C-alpha cells in the first residue's frame, strides 16, 4: 500500500511538472497580451470547463470512442484467429512474417487517399484505417503467446485425448489471453494517435473534426482544450487496458 501511494505521488508530481513546463513555455516564449496567451494553461482550462458545461463536446467524444471500439473489435476478430494460426504452425509463420512486417511498417495514414477513393468519406474508411492500425500488435502478440505456451500443457492435453477444439478452448486460448491483452493495450495507444487525423476525412463529428472546427473559428483556447481532453481520454483508456491486464495476470 505504501509503495502504491509513493508511485501515485511521483506520478502526480510528474503531471504537475508537465503543467509547469507548459506554463513556463507560454510565459517565456509568448507575450502576455498576444496570441500565445490563448494557449496558456489558464485559458485552456477555462475553455475546457466551458465546453464541458455546454455539453456539445460529449457527442464528439461518444462518436470517437465508438470508432475506437469498432476498429478494435475488427482488429480482434481478424488478429486473434490469424495469430493463433501463425503461432501454431512454423511453416505458416515463416511464410507470413516478412509480409506482415512489411505491412506493419506502412503508416496507416499513408492509406488515407487510397481508402477515400475506394470507400468515399464517412465512417467506413475510418473503421478500415483504425482496424489496419490495431491489427498488427494484436496479431503479433497473439502469435508470440502461442509460441511461449508451456509444451507440457499441450502434452498433457494430448495424453488426455483432448480434441483440437478442446485443446484450443481449454489450453491455448486461456494461455494467450495475457499476450492478447498486451496487444490490445498497444493497439489502443496506436488507435488513439491515428484517430484524430482520420477524423479529418470529411466527417461531421468526432474529436478530430472538432479540432478542425476550432481552428476555422480561430478559437485557439478551445483547440488547446480539445488537445488536453484527447490526452486525458487517451490516458484513461490506457489505464483501463492496464488494469484489465493486471486483473487477468493476477487472477
Amino acid at each position: 500500500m505504501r509503495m502504491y501511494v509513493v508511485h501515485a505521488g511521483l506520478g502526480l508530481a510528474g503531471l504537475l511538472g508537465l503543467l509547469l513546463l507548459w506554463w513556463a513555455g507560454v510565459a517565456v516564449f509568448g507575450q502576455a497580451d498576444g496570441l500565445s496567451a490563448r494557449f496558456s494553461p489558464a485559458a485552456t482550462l477555462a475553455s475546457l470547463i466551458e465546453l464541458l458545461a455546454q455539453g456539445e463536446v460529449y457527442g464528439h467524444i461518444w462518436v470517437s470512442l465508438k470508432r475506437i471500439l469498432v476498429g478494435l473489435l475488427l482488429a480482434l476478430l481478424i488478429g486473434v484467429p490469424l495469430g493463433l494460426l501463425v503461432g501454431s504452425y512454423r511453416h505458416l509463420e515463416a511464410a507470413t512474417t516478412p509480409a506482415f512486417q512489411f505491412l506493419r511498417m506502412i503508416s496507416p495514414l499513408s492509406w488515407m487517399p487510397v481508402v477515400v477513393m475506394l470507400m468515399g468519406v464517412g465512417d467506413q474508411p475510418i473503421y478500415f484505417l483504425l482496424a489496419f492500425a490495431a491489427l498488427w500488435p494484436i496479431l503479433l502478440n497473439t502469435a508470440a503467446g502461442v509460441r511461449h505456451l508451456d509444451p507440457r500443457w499441450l502434452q498433457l492435453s494430448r495424453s488426455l485425448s483432448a480434441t483440437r477444439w478442446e485443446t484450443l478452448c481449454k489450453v491455448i486460448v486461456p494461455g494467450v489471453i495475457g499476450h492478447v491483452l498486451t496487444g490490445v493495450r498497444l493497439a489502443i495507444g496506436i488507435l488513439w494517435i491515428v484517430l484524430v487525423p482520420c477524423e479529418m476525412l470529411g466527417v461531421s463529428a468526432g474529436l478530430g473534426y472538432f479540432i478542425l472546427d476550432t481552428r476555422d473559428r480561430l478559437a485557439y483556447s478551445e483547440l488547446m482544450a480539445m488537445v488536453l481532453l484527447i490526452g486525458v481520454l487517451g490516458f484513461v483508456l490506457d489505464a483501463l487496458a492496464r488494469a484489465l491486464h493486471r486483473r487477468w495476470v493476477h487472477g
Side-chain angles (χ1 to χ4, degrees):
M1 183 64 181
R2 181 180 178 183
M3 186 62 65
Y4 176 79
V5 173
V6 171
H7 280 285
L10 291 175
L12 182 60
L15 291 175
L16 292 175
L18 183 62
L19 181 63
L20 181 62
L21 286 175
W22 179 10
W23 172 82
V26 174
V28 172
F29 298 104
Q31 298 178 357
D33 56 349
L35 179 63
S36 60
R38 302 185 186 181
F39 297 97
S40 66
T44 298
L45 291 175
S47 294
L48 179 60
I49 293 172
E50 183 179 355
L51 287 172
L52 293 175
Q54 292 174 353
E56 178 187 358
V57 71
Y58 295 114
H60 296 285
I61 293 173
W62 164 246
V63 170
S64 293
L65 291 177
K66 183 188 73 172
R67 288 168 178 156
I68 288 286
L69 180 60
V70 171
L72 185 61
L73 288 176
L74 290 174
L76 284 168
L77 289 174
I78 299 172
V80 172
L82 195 54
L84 293 173
L85 283 173
V86 171
S88 300
Y89 300 99
R90 297 294 183 182
H91 293 301
L92 181 60
E93 179 186 4
T96 56
T97 295
F100 289 158
Q101 293 296 338
F102 174 78
L103 291 172
R104 185 176 70 90
M105 297 309 296
I106 300 176
S107 170
L109 300 179
S110 64
W111 294 102
M112 289 173 63
V114 178
V115 174
V116 170
M117 286 189 292
L118 294 176
M119 298 183 178
V121 296
D123 284 341
Q124 287 188 350
I126 295 178
Y127 294 151
F128 174 85
L129 292 171
L130 293 179
F132 182 87
L135 174 63
W136 311 114
I138 293 174
L139 189 159
L140 296 176
N141 275 278
T142 302
V146 175
R147 290 194 300 270
H148 286 86
L149 282 174
D150 192 336
R152 291 174 295 181
W153 294 0
L154 300 177
Q155 291 173 0
L156 178 61
S157 176
R158 286 193 294 267
S159 68
L160 295 175
S161 301
T163 63
R164 288 189 176 183
W165 179 253
E166 289 172 337
T167 301
L168 176 66
C169 295
K170 301 296 185 180
V171 178
I172 297 178
V173 171
V176 303
I177 288 295
H179 286 79
V180 173
L181 292 177
T182 299
V184 167
R185 183 193 173 191
L186 295 174
I188 289 175
I190 296 172
L191 285 176
W192 202 242
I193 294 172
V194 173
L195 174 69
V196 173
C198 284
E199 288 186 330
M200 299 176 182
L201 291 175
V203 296
S204 58
L207 297 174
Y209 162 80
F210 199 75
I211 284 181
L212 286 182
D213 181 63
T214 57
R215 182 203 63 183
D216 295 338
R217 292 187 286 109
L218 304 181
Y220 298 120
S221 60
E222 291 185 15
L223 189 154
M224 281 301 298
M226 292 306 300
V227 172
L228 182 62
L229 181 60
I230 288 172
V232 171
L233 291 173
F235 181 86
V236 171
L237 287 175
D238 182 71
L240 291 175
R242 283 188 285 116
L244 183 61
H245 182 268
R246 284 197 303 267
R247 183 178 180 85
W248 174 264
V249 170
H250 293 303

